[in-house]
Amino acid sequence: MNSVMHDIARRVAQHLEPGDVINLGIGLPTLVADHVPEGVKVFLHTENGMVGAGPTPEPEKVDPQLINAGKLPVTEDVGAAYFSSSESFAMIRGGHVSVAVLGVLQVDRLGRIANWAIPGKPILGVGGAMDLLVGAKTVIVATTHLTKKGEPKIVEECSFPLTGARPADLIVTEHATFSVDEEGLVLEEIAPDSTLEWVRSHTPVPFRNSAALEAV
Amino acid sequence: MNSVMHDIARRVAQHLEPGDVINLGIGLPTLVADHVPEGVKVFLHTENGMVGAGPTPEPEKVDPQLINAGKLPVTEDVGAAYFSSSESFAMIRGGHVSVAVLGVLQVDRLGRIANWAIPGKPILGVGGAMDLLVGAKTVIVATTHLTKKGEPKIVEECSFPLTGARPADLIVTEHATFSVDEEGLVLEEIAPDSTLEWVRSHTPVPFRNSAALEAV
Amino acid sequence: MSRALRIPGSKGQKEVSQDGRRRVDDENGAMVEAPRMDGLSSGRIESKVISVEEAAALVGPGSTVMVGGFGLVGSPLTLIEALLSSENARGLTTISNNVGEPGKGLGRLLLESKISRAIGSYFTSNPDVMERHLDGELEVRLVPQGTLAEAIRAGGAGLGGFYTKTGVGTDLAEGREVREIDGELYLFEKPLRADIALIRAHRADTLGNLTYYKTARNFNPDMATAAEVVVAEVDEIVEAGTLDPEHVVTPHPYVDYVVRAEITLGTDAGPLLDQAGGG
Amino acid sequence: MSRALRIPGSKGQKEVSQDGRRRVDDENGAMVEAPRMDGLSSGRIESKVISVEEAAALVGPGSTVMVGGFGLVGSPLTLIEALLSSENARGLTTISNNVGEPGKGLGRLLLESKISRAIGSYFTSNPDVMERHLDGELEVRLVPQGTLAEAIRAGGAGLGGFYTKTGVGTDLAEGREVREIDGELYLFEKPLRADIALIRAHRADTLGNLTYYKTARNFNPDMATAAEVVVAEVDEIVEAGTLDPEHVVTPHPYVDYVVRAEITLGTDAGPLLDQAGGG
């Protein structure tokens, strides 16, 4: 994936804390594993039944029966454990996963996300997205600020089907980081190579500035 | 326990089949384990979290952390497995226990049982009785025909609180064996040292004779 | 008095005939005899090990079949392969996270038009599913993955249903019962059960106790609890008493038959894993 | 940006303050600091092992406490003993299959008037429960054992409730919601959760992965999932990486603290077992 993706993943990873049990969605979120800050030990949960998934193995060390939820080969980290699907999702829904990092198609002004379906097509896949959204203690959206066509992904109202009623807690793009409260988005940080003007003109929803940002 | 109890247990054990997973209630039902016919291999399930409970150990071999649901020491039979309480009762309710043998205070003319509470006293124990009654594929009642005071335990209607709506499948006393169908009790067998007259005069509910018994 | 005595009034879902042969409902509700388990009625507990062909014969026309696995990992590939050549295995409803991968595992049964309905959580990774669905040949029911797993567990645990937050406020909740419990909204979900479960485990003892291998565990232990007949395909069969009772994941009462795996995901199956995509 | 950023909007039930100390609600809803877990915020994952006294201090006045065990077997006797000398441990609601045995385990806390409410399935084996209940000192709620276990599991699994056949048509169903589902009657049951779970396991690694010992497992794995704070009392503590990932019964995300057992049921505890009586 390109450097923008890695940049977003790095910005997400800053929010991880030692001991966090994290679940990374497919695609961009997966890159977060590569950017966990030095000295921060986190545990990767993968919903197909494992906590303690380790890094991608060398090709010759691939165990075809040891995969993550993206069906990519992983390894066993120290202290790993395996469990069944029902136990894995009990863990997710029960609030035992600290952080889920999810990719999105869109996110609305209240932080609600759409990441599983495209309107007008038969919907043939949902996987664990809805469970992770309702269950993870903290949900971080990792997304490019704009679609490939240059349209904002943060929108007044999602035109794609919602993944659930629960809003994300944090939205991280290559340009900005927003937190979410009951009233909507709060701009927490602007990326060093971006500007408030750029963020404003490419985020067509009202948002407030955080106290920290106001103080600058 | 006295010889009548063992007699009842022996009569119950005749109904066990090889491979049955059986759960034995506290007291009289426990004795069934001693009378499983030669060559019939059954597996004892105990609801505190084990299948494959073996016989009582010698006193010097007691493991205080290996007990059955009656809190009595047991051993590990070949092929045993341990599991949590929720898994144990999932197994029970889900129909994975072939036979539950239950003691009763009373059983009514439709085969419904009362075995957990005494009216007029605060009810302070139910344990697994209700789960076993609704969940076991086959429920066999093992009971003396009369109470210690000489009153019939098979009654028109239970004066003690019911353990559930599901009727037992078989009622075995030292005098008789009844099966249960939608209409009520069917006398299947009279014990060698008893008589139809005795059974009739000590069973104050209507019952039919089985075809086999009629043929005698 | 024979077992017949306690069958009529019993709640038994599995019936065993006088000679110890297990009976399974066929399409028309008629009882068909499952492979003989010699020894069960002679008093000795015989091994539950049967041949792949005997196992495949347990799947009849119109059967609802739970199939373990996440993609192909933890999927009973040998049993699936055997269904390909079984005349009776047709018009199946599958309950499985996916429908295999394109042309592989359940994906191959789909291409052979043996599946008419699929209940699962993620079909996107197999484009054949979309194609057959648009052709009107395949009915699909999409369930969030956690709800799928929980519904299967509930089916095995004798529950009437459960409430989950997952899916509330989404298209998947349309027309479904939503209930507020202690201030939060939940969807009602009913249990799932199947006529037969084909699962994949690692080791079985001859009684049917099972252990699993890494992430090939996934849905298998749940499905082992929720079908009338459960067949486990395993890498290795060991004598009863060999598995540590603390390490058994699926206790033997759940398992009816054991077959030895003939097809496994070797490292040469690498290309299978190219089909990366969410669960 | 600090963690504070994601706490406000999060659904976190456990809050961690800036210095990495976990916070627990006290009786008045005020936040009290749990023992420091040095290293958590310094980057290195420190062991979750704490002292028995630190663990006992997590139980505050009016806490709802899940306590593992079936009678005394699998009960965290060391932690219970420590609560005896804790001023703050009073007015407790216990969620436990029993209230220990007479004068033993939770039974001793009862005699010290530290328990004001007991939720469980079988109190008959401890006559002190009946006595305190008739005195009006102890409120009791009786739940069938399988429903108790399932409600605890549901609490840990984020479910809003479930339907069970158990108890339908009995006195325990009085005033309760009964629903017909596919022709059968079921009782609605809500999940159970606790402020803290005190459980008993066999081995823990320093991360908090747990294994159990024989029938001392019972309610412990279920309770490990269903409380805001989970403390496991264990026979042995081993380094992370020592337990086989296939054999871990309770994965570490569930476990907050580990203490070493000082009281175990030795064979000299034989007399404890005299109190035979159903579950």
Side-chain angles (χ1 to χ4, degrees):
Chain A
M1 305 218 188
N2 63 34
S3 69
V4 170
M5 301 294 203
H6 276 283
D7 187 40
I8 297 168
R10 190 178 308 110
R11 289 162 56 76
V12 167
Q14 288 168 27
H15 296 277
L16 300 179
E17 299 211 344
D20 276 347
V21 175
I22 66 176
N23 186 299
L24 304 177
I26 295 160
L28 165 49
T30 309
L31 300 180
V32 171
D34 298 340
H35 297 285
V36 178
E38 188 69 27
V40 173
K41 175 65 189 164
V42 297
F43 302 95
L44 261 73
H45 175 277
T46 177
E47 64 263 34
N48 51 321
M50 180 184 198
V51 67
T56 311
E58 297 301 309
E60 67 277 13
K61 296 212 168 152
V62 165
D63 180 339
Q65 298 189 88
L66 178 49
I67 60 166
N68 66 16
K71 294 181 189 153
L72 294 169
V74 293
T75 47
E76 243 175 41
D77 198 358
V78 169
Y82 298 103
F83 31 81
S84 70
S85 295
S86 67
E87 291 173 85
S88 185
F89 283 91
M91 199 179 285
I92 291 170
R93 280 189 318 262
H96 308 287
V97 169
S98 327
V99 180
V101 182
L102 303 176
V104 296
L105 296 166
Q106 292 177 325
V107 51
D108 78 8
R109 65 182 180 84
L110 294 174
R112 293 180 305 180
I113 72 170
N115 78 342
W116 69 292
I118 291 166
K121 279 199 181 184
I123 297 172
L124 290 184
V126 55
M130 291 183 179
D131 299 283
L132 284 161
L133 179 62
V134 301
K137 278 196 276 190
T138 297
V139 172
I140 301 181
V141 164
T143 182
T144 53
H145 209 96
L146 307 176
T147 67
K148 281 178 191 165
K149 291 184 179 170
E151 288 159 357
K153 290 185 117 185
I154 303 174
V155 295
E156 184 66 24
E157 210 163 317
C158 293
S159 54
F160 295 79
L162 287 178
T163 305
R166 183 214 171 151
D169 299 297
L170 209 61
I171 300 161
V172 178
T173 79
E174 72 277 34
H175 286 275
T177 298
F178 299 90
S179 65
V180 181
D181 66 18
E182 282 74 36
E183 295 162 51
L185 307 194
V186 178
L187 180 63
E188 295 285 348
E189 196 186 63
I190 302 163
D193 52 355
S194 192
T195 64
L196 180 59
E197 290 63 43
W198 192 97
V199 172
R200 281 215 183 281
S201 61
H202 294 83
T203 311
V205 307
F207 60 80
R208 287 157 290 144
N209 288 347
S210 72
L213 211 63
E214 286 294 342
V216 175
Chain B
M1 304 219 189
N2 64 32
S3 69
V4 170
M5 299 295 201
H6 276 283
D7 188 39
I8 297 167
R10 190 178 307 109
R11 291 162 54 76
V12 167
Q14 288 166 28
H15 296 278
L16 300 179
E17 299 212 344
D20 275 347
V21 175
I22 67 176
N23 185 300
L24 304 177
I26 296 160
L28 164 49
T30 308
L31 300 180
V32 170
D34 298 339
H35 297 285
V36 178
E38 187 70 29
V40 173
K41 175 65 189 162
V42 297
F43 301 96
L44 261 72
H45 175 277
T46 177
E47 63 263 35
N48 51 321
M50 180 184 197
V51 66
T56 311
E58 297 301 309
E60 69 276 14
K61 296 211 168 154
V62 165
D63 180 339
Q65 297 189 88
L66 178 49
I67 61 166
N68 65 17
K71 295 183 189 152
L72 294 169
V74 293
T75 47
E76 241 173 43
D77 198 358
V78 169
Y82 298 103
F83 31 80
S84 71
S85 295
S86 66
E87 292 173 83
S88 185
F89 283 91
M91 199 180 282
I92 291 170
R93 280 188 319 261
H96 308 286
V97 169
S98 329
V99 180
V101 182
L102 302 175
V104 296
L105 297 165
Q106 291 177 325
V107 51
D108 78 7
R109 64 181 180 84
L110 294 174
R112 294 181 303 182
I113 73 170
N115 79 342
W116 69 291
I118 290 166
K121 279 200 182 185
I123 297 172
L124 290 183
V126 56
M130 291 183 179
D131 298 284
L132 284 161
L133 180 61
V134 301
K137 279 196 274 191
T138 297
V139 172
I140 302 180
V141 164
T143 182
T144 54
H145 209 97
L146 306 177
T147 66
K148 280 177 191 164
K149 291 183 177 170
E151 289 159 356
K153 289 185 118 185
I154 303 174
V155 295
E156 185 66 23
E157 209 163 317
C158 293
S159 55
F160 294 80
L162 287 179
T163 305
R166 182 212 172 152
D169 300 296
L170 209 62
I171 301 161
V172 177
T173 79
E174 72 276 34
H175 286 276
T177 298
F178 299 91
S179 64
V180 181
D181 65 18
E182 283 73 37
E183 294 164 52
L185 307 194
V186 177
L187 181 62
E188 295 284 348
E189 195 187 63
I190 302 162
D193 53 355
S194 193
T195 63
L196 180 59
E197 290 63 42
W198 192 97
V199 173
R200 278 215 183 282
S201 61
H202 293 85
T203 310
V205 307
F207 59 81
R208 288 156 290 145
N209 289 348
S210 72
L213 210 64
E214 285 296 341
V216 175
Chain C
M1 260 172 298
S2 73
R3 176 149 191 148
L5 208 167
R6 62 184 178 78
I7 289 295
S10 88
K11 313 205 111 180
Q13 295 134 333
K14 293 172 185 174
E15 297 202 1
V16 177
S17 61
Q18 291 297 78
D19 64 353
R21 295 175 80 175
R22 212 169 279 272
R23 296 167 140 222
V24 185
D25 272 306
D26 75 2
E27 185 186 27
N28 310 309
M31 297 300 277
V32 295
E33 301 261 316
R36 177 181 285 272
M37 292 176 67
D38 288 305
L40 255 195
S41 51
S42 75
R44 204 159 60 89
I45 285 297
E46 200 71 4
S47 152
K48 288 177 176 171
V49 181
I50 60 173
S51 72
V52 172
E53 293 66 35
E54 286 173 312
L58 294 166
V59 177
S63 285
T64 295
V65 189
M66 282 183 184
V67 182
F70 191 87
L72 299 181
V73 176
S75 200
L77 298 177
T78 308
L79 290 168
I80 293 170
E81 181 81 15
L83 292 184
L84 273 175
S85 45
S86 159
E87 184 64 26
N88 274 328
R90 58 178 197 276
L92 306 178
T93 292
T94 58
I95 299 175
S96 194
N97 191 54
N98 320 99
V99 184
E101 303 287 357
K104 286 173 179 158
L106 280 186
R108 223 177 133 196
L109 286 192
L110 178 68
L111 292 183
E112 298 293 327
S113 300
K114 285 175 168 292
I115 304 175
S116 56
R117 184 161 177 253
I119 299 172
S121 95
Y122 199 81
F123 304 129
T124 321
S125 54
N126 185 350
D128 297 334
V129 173
M130 176 70 91
E131 194 178 305
R132 300 273 162 155
H133 177 59
L134 292 178
D135 285 354
E137 283 177 37
L138 180 72
E139 192 185 329
V140 297
R141 184 180 154 212
L142 198 66
V143 185
Q145 195 173 143
T147 303
L148 179 67
E150 189 68 19
I152 294 166
R153 180 192 175 276
L159 301 177
F162 60 92
Y163 288 98
T164 177
K165 272 186 258 187
T166 305
V168 170
T170 74
D171 292 356
L172 293 187
E174 264 171 33
R176 306 273 308 287
E177 174 190 335
V178 174
R179 173 171 177 167
E180 186 175 326
I181 300 170
D182 294 337
E184 297 223 53
L185 296 178
Y186 293 85
L187 264 184
F188 177 58
E189 195 69 33
K190 292 217 292 194
L192 284 170
R193 285 190 62 87
D195 297 317
I196 185 165
L198 305 179
I199 66 166
R200 184 67 162 87
H202 180 43
R203 282 201 184 89
D205 69 17
T206 50
L207 294 178
N209 286 307
L210 303 180
T211 65
Y212 298 87
Y213 181 81
K214 302 190 189 277
T215 55
R217 186 182 303 200
N218 57 64
F219 285 87
N220 289 297
D222 298 313
M223 291 179 173
T225 69
E228 306 307 315
V229 176
V230 175
V231 185
E233 173 178 337
V234 302
D235 291 314
E236 196 183 340
I237 298 166
V238 299
E239 279 308 304
T242 310
L243 300 177
D244 185 331
E246 303 280 6
H247 300 161
V248 170
V249 176
T250 295
H252 67 79
Y254 288 119
V255 179
D256 297 298
Y257 301 108
V258 173
V259 304
R260 204 180 301 267
E262 290 162 11
I263 306 174
T264 57
L265 282 183
T267 42
D268 57 331
L272 297 177
L273 301 174
D274 291 347
Q275 297 292 334
Chain D
M1 261 173 299
S2 73
R3 176 149 192 147
L5 208 167
R6 62 184 178 80
I7 288 297
S10 89
K11 312 206 114 180
Q13 294 133 337
K14 292 171 186 175
E15 298 202 0
V16 176
S17 61
Q18 292 296 76
D19 65 351
R21 296 175 80 174
R22 212 169 279 274
R23 295 168 139 222
V24 186
D25 272 306
D26 76 2
E27 185 185 27
N28 310 309
M31 296 302 277
V32 295
E33 302 260 314
R36 176 181 287 270
M37 290 175 69
D38 287 307
L40 254 196
S41 49
S42 75
R44 204 159 61 90
I45 284 299
E46 200 70 4
S47 151
K48 289 178 176 171
V49 181
I50 60 172
S51 74
V52 172
E53 293 67 34
E54 286 174 310
L58 294 167
V59 177
S63 285
T64 296
V65 189
M66 284 185 182
V67 182
F70 191 86
L72 299 181
V73 177
S75 200
L77 298 177
T78 307
L79 290 167
I80 292 170
E81 181 80 15
L83 292 184
L84 273 175
S85 45
S86 160
E87 185 63 26
N88 274 329
R90 58 179 197 274
L92 305 179
T93 293
T94 58
I95 299 175
S96 194
N97 191 53
N98 320 100
V99 184
E101 304 286 358
K104 286 172 181 160
L106 281 185
R108 223 177 132 198
L109 286 191
L110 178 68
L111 291 183
E112 298 294 327
S113 301
K114 285 176 169 293
I115 303 174
S116 57
R117 185 160 177 254
I119 299 171
S121 95
Y122 199 82
F123 305 130
T124 321
S125 55
N126 186 350
D128 297 334
V129 173
M130 175 70 92
E131 195 178 302
R132 299 274 161 155
H133 178 58
L134 292 177
D135 286 354
E137 283 177 37
L138 181 72
E139 192 186 331
V140 297
R141 183 178 154 215
L142 198 67
V143 185
Q145 195 173 141
T147 303
L148 180 66
E150 189 67 19
I152 294 166
R153 180 192 176 277
L159 301 176
F162 60 91
Y163 288 97
T164 176
K165 273 186 257 189
T166 304
V168 171
T170 73
D171 291 355
L172 293 188
E174 265 172 33
R176 306 274 307 287
E177 175 190 335
V178 174
R179 173 172 178 167
E180 186 175 324
I181 300 171
D182 293 337
E184 296 222 56
L185 296 178
Y186 294 86
L187 264 183
F188 177 58
E189 195 69 33
K190 291 217 294 195
L192 284 170
R193 286 190 63 87
D195 297 317
I196 185 166
L198 306 179
I199 66 166
R200 185 68 162 86
H202 181 42
R203 281 200 185 89
D205 68 17
T206 49
L207 294 178
N209 285 307
L210 303 179
T211 65
Y212 298 88
Y213 182 81
K214 300 188 190 280
T215 56
R217 186 182 302 202
N218 57 63
F219 285 87
N220 290 298
D222 298 314
M223 291 179 174
T225 69
E228 306 307 314
V229 176
V230 175
V231 185
E233 172 178 338
V234 302
D235 292 313
E236 197 184 338
I237 298 166
V238 299
E239 278 308 305
T242 310
L243 300 176
D244 185 332
E246 303 279 6
H247 300 161
V248 170
V249 176
T250 295
H252 67 80
Y254 288 119
V255 178
D256 298 298
Y257 301 107
V258 172
V259 304
R260 205 180 300 266
E262 290 163 12
I263 307 173
T264 56
L265 283 182
T267 43
D268 57 330
L272 297 178
L273 301 174
D274 292 347
Q275 297 293 337

